[in-house]
Amino acid sequence: MRDVIVVGAGAGGPVVAKELAAKGLDVLVLEAGPRHADPRAEWTSFENDANNPLTGFLRLGPTDRTRPAWFRELPQNSFVWQVSGVGGTTQHFYGNYPRPYPGVFDDYTGPDAAAYDIQHRFPFGFRELLPYLEWVEATAPVATAAMGHKEQTFFRGCESLGLPVQTTKTTREASYRPQQNAVLQPHGTAGRSADTDLLHYPRATGCTFCGYCFQGCMRPVGAPRNQYAKRSTDNSYVPMALTADAWARGGKPSTLITDAYVTRIHAETRNGKLTASGVTWKDNTTETEHREDARVVVLAGGCVENPRLWLNSGLPNPNDWVGRGVTDHFLDWVVGVFDDPVGNPKGVGSAARADFPSKGGLENVGVPPALHAFAMNFSDSGIHGHYANGRGPVGPWDGPAGRLTGPMLKDLMSGRLENLLSVVVLTDDDVQPENRVVRSGLPLGDEHGPVPKVQMWGRKRTRRTLENREFLARRAAEVIRGAGAKRVYRIDWAPLLLHIQSSMRMGGSERDSVLDSDAQSRAVRGLYIADTSALANALGGPNPTLTTQALATRTAEKIFAEHFGGDPWVYADNPVVSTDPRITVRLGQLGL
């Protein structure tokens, strides 16, 4: 019997594995997708090769790319952009690590407290989570993003609105700032040269400004895995979890099995309480099934897979909140066209942001051509300029919002990519029970059982969510116009599920949450959740990775104390050892 089984090796699972392995526990990590052990040999920077949702190496599917991707039913115009494999969706994220807004926690009493989703706050205070945020920031490590011309242009637009510069890690007022991100700073020739012959480790370290963040990170050339620039968990927490004995006294390396799709959670009654006892998993290659038992099971398979696995396992759902309450930051895209190049898409994918607490935020984003074309063509408002009266929202952008197609899209993509400045809207959306993951009613499942159905009704959001999104889209257009753009277009994205949160939310009430304040299931003892599905809400709009990993660290500590008689460790005055052996930081030195 194992001590702990972790299901999923994305953003949160490796954090729990690393922390508990460091305490000497026997931890097994089961990942449904592949492990790309040598990205430089297995990957390319070609967009279709990486991002094709059916055949790309960053898709939701097994290691064998000739086999079908895993299916989700989407009853509305939407797209779920998840990645299977070690590192999960962090393989294609931009490494942005902003802190959550304090207003989403239950101890917040600021003047704008009522402007948040007050019915679905975190069941503890921001101050309680702060040491765990600092722990992750030191471990990843998190630092001020390396910036270039597009960030300078974005900041000029923010200044035109009279926004102040944010100078602390915790954001409490409308402001703009460089991103706090987990991308190693460029040193040596990195960021100073476009000559690929000069961008080899150790002559170049950190971000080389290649611009291919979304296709995974495998640079600088020749760098060891834990020195790849972007700190996706396959480059950060996973190596630490698998070598725990090498860096922590008394630690024990975790065991990782890939292509291991968990199909059932087992539970039995112990001392009058239903208690998790293990899992059944299926080998994607041999189709054989295996049973593993453990004292604790931690789900970290993501906002779609966790509800599916729970429901397919027949576990209790007494309040019908398993899979409910999904938040997605109701994203949108606003793009400006400039006369001169602004540096898109060179450098870190997203290195600048503007925050509007209680409403959400804006991020300057640079992406390669195919992704940019996709972003400008994914809309809920029809074709821009095609309808006589317009169908999309009107505002400080050119014409009604809508997708850009045909000659207009060709014109923007033909030699003008560097002249585009793109801003993504991150809405603080409400937790709504109607937005949910359920088992599909389709008669055929897949090789792992009934498939999930993801319901995200873009036009049926709460009034607060819709008002927040419109406010932010207007601010984005004003920022771009203020920076000097000659034309500004709003796309009015359909639900693009990049930031998926809260489908198995923790909360203070049994009426509308699956987890208690320790992230333990209310219905099944010894069953925890440690990924974005555990988040109580949309965090106010900031990217979810930092909060998810801080919460996973806290959850690991709770597991260790309750089930293995251990003492807390985050509050101790111990050094935090990052993936870079040169970095040693004491928590008390980090502050706010």
Side-chain angles (χ1 to χ4, degrees):
M1 174 182 286
R2 304 278 184 173
D3 290 325
V4 179
I5 293 174
V6 177
V7 181
V15 177
V16 173
K18 171 256 186 188
E19 298 294 353
L20 294 180
K23 293 300 177 182
L25 299 189
D26 181 5
V27 181
L28 171 64
V29 181
L30 298 171
E31 167 55 47
R35 185 184 188 197
H36 300 290
D38 187 3
R40 293 212 60 81
E42 301 172 41
W43 292 0
T44 73
S45 293
F46 294 120
E47 293 186 76
N48 186 62
D49 193 31
N51 304 322
N52 188 306
L54 298 179
T55 62
F57 57 78
L58 295 181
R59 64 166 186 165
L60 193 73
T63 298
D64 184 354
R65 290 164 63 189
T66 66
R67 298 179 61 184
W70 295 320
F71 179 71
R72 281 96 183 83
E73 182 186 356
L74 302 174
Q76 66 283 313
N77 179 27
S78 62
F79 181 58
V80 178
W81 212 325
Q82 290 180 298
V83 178
S84 62
V86 176
T89 306
T90 71
Q91 293 174 96
H92 79 185
F93 82 150
Y94 288 134
N96 293 335
Y97 271 60
R99 291 181 178 179
Y101 299 149
V104 304
F105 294 85
D106 72 356
D107 64 343
Y108 186 69
T109 58
D112 62 341
Y116 290 90
D117 182 357
I118 60 175
Q119 301 300 320
H120 302 99
R121 286 178 168 161
F122 277 86
F124 51 82
F126 177 76
R127 279 279 174 182
E128 181 175 340
L129 190 65
L130 182 57
Y132 303 94
L133 294 168
E134 293 176 329
W135 184 274
V136 174
E137 287 167 343
T139 303
V142 176
T144 300
M147 294 172 286
H149 191 188
K150 67 178 184 293
E151 290 77 30
Q152 188 178 41
T153 305
F154 178 80
F155 291 154
R156 186 168 67 244
C158 291
E159 290 170 351
S160 74
L161 269 61
L163 290 174
V165 178
Q166 175 67 27
T167 58
T168 64
K169 292 182 181 180
T170 302
T171 302
R172 301 179 186 273
E173 63 178 354
S175 55
Y176 74 90
R177 64 180 302 167
Q179 291 278 19
Q180 288 289 298
N181 70 17
V183 178
L184 297 181
Q185 286 277 343
H187 291 288
T189 53
R192 300 172 183 270
S193 174
D195 185 347
T196 57
D197 291 335
L198 299 179
L199 298 177
H200 288 246
Y201 182 90
R203 188 173 185 181
T205 63
C207 181
T208 63
F209 271 54
C210 72
Y212 292 114
C213 293
F214 213 78
Q215 279 81 269
C217 187
M218 48 185 170
R219 294 175 177 85
V221 175
R225 187 63 181 267
N226 72 343
Q227 290 297 310
Y228 284 1
K230 189 175 69 176
R231 315 310 294 155
S232 49
T233 56
D234 53 328
N235 296 335
S236 59
Y237 276 94
V238 170
M240 288 188 283
L242 298 181
T243 57
D245 60 336
W247 62 272
R249 183 180 299 171
K252 181 177 183 178
S254 301
T255 300
L256 171 66
I257 302 177
T258 57
D259 264 319
Y261 204 116
V262 175
T263 56
R264 185 179 177 187
I265 306 164
H266 298 283
E268 59 188 43
T269 301
R270 298 175 187 166
N271 299 321
K273 294 182 178 180
L274 189 64
T275 304
S277 59
V279 304
T280 291
W281 59 276
K282 188 174 184 179
D283 188 309
N284 292 332
T285 303
T286 65
E287 302 293 323
T288 57
E289 287 194 337
H290 305 266
R291 169 76 184 259
E292 294 278 354
D293 293 323
R295 294 172 64 182
V296 172
V297 175
V298 180
L299 299 188
C303 273
V304 177
E305 282 303 313
N306 286 343
R308 177 202 193 188
L309 178 55
W310 185 292
L311 296 171
N312 285 355
S313 300
L315 297 180
N317 184 16
N319 59 7
D320 196 32
W321 265 78
V322 169
R324 288 190 182 271
V326 179
T327 59
D328 67 334
H329 288 157
F330 202 12
L331 303 172
D332 203 352
W333 189 266
V334 183
V335 59
V337 184
F338 290 73
D339 285 341
D340 299 313
V342 296
N344 178 41
K346 295 179 180 178
V348 177
S350 178
R353 68 183 299 114
D355 289 288
F356 300 89
S358 82
K359 297 183 182 298
L362 308 175
E363 289 185 341
N364 174 212
V365 176
V367 292
L371 286 171
H372 218 299
F374 166 81
M376 295 191 293
N377 197 248
F378 184 69
S379 178
D380 250 350
S381 289
I383 300 173
H384 175 87
H386 183 73
Y387 303 96
N389 297 320
R391 291 178 57 183
V394 295
W397 41 82
D398 290 274
R403 63 170 52 93
L404 306 181
T405 62
M408 179 179 293
L409 181 62
K410 290 181 180 179
D411 178 61
L412 293 177
M413 297 302 299
S414 299
R416 288 180 176 264
L417 186 60
E418 289 221 6
N419 293 44
L420 303 181
L421 184 70
S422 301
V423 173
V424 64
V425 166
L426 305 170
T427 305
D428 180 25
D429 47 337
D430 284 332
V431 171
Q432 293 180 247
E434 303 87 354
N435 288 340
R436 63 188 303 198
V437 179
V438 298
R439 287 202 296 179
S440 172
L442 295 175
L444 297 178
D446 61 15
E447 64 270 32
H448 307 119
V451 299
K453 177 180 179 179
V454 184
Q455 296 179 176
M456 294 297 297
W457 306 115
R459 299 185 182 276
K460 297 181 182 179
R461 306 296 178 114
T462 66
R463 178 177 178 179
R464 189 185 82 92
T465 295
L466 294 173
E467 288 178 348
N468 283 352
R469 190 173 189 249
E470 291 305 305
F471 171 88
L472 293 166
R474 288 175 176 272
R475 294 294 84 77
E478 290 166 359
V479 165
I480 293 170
R481 192 85 72 182
K486 301 304 181 183
R487 286 174 284 158
V488 179
Y489 300 108
R490 178 185 175 188
I491 307 305
D492 189 24
W493 269 356
L496 179 58
L497 307 184
L498 286 164
H499 292 182
I500 322 177
Q501 300 128 171
S502 315
S503 65
M504 305 289 284
R505 65 178 301 270
M506 63 164 45
S509 172
E510 295 181 0
R511 296 190 303 272
D512 59 4
S513 61
V514 178
L515 310 176
D516 64 17
S517 60
D518 292 345
Q520 183 170 205
S521 163
R522 297 183 185 277
V524 184
R525 188 177 183 276
L527 180 59
Y528 291 78
I529 293 184
D531 58 21
T532 58
S533 66
L535 299 181
N537 51 48
L539 306 180
N543 313 61
T545 307
L546 171 59
T547 307
T548 297
Q549 293 180 341
L551 189 61
T553 304
R554 179 180 180 271
T555 299
E557 188 179 63
K558 300 293 185 183
I559 291 170
F560 189 58
E562 177 169 345
H563 299 276
F564 300 97
D567 296 322
W569 64 82
V570 166
Y571 288 98
D573 186 25
N574 291 326
V576 179
V577 182
S578 80
T579 53
D580 186 339
R582 298 169 298 179
I583 299 173
T584 300
V585 182
R586 291 187 179 275
L587 293 177
Q589 297 173 348
L590 295 174
L592 287 172

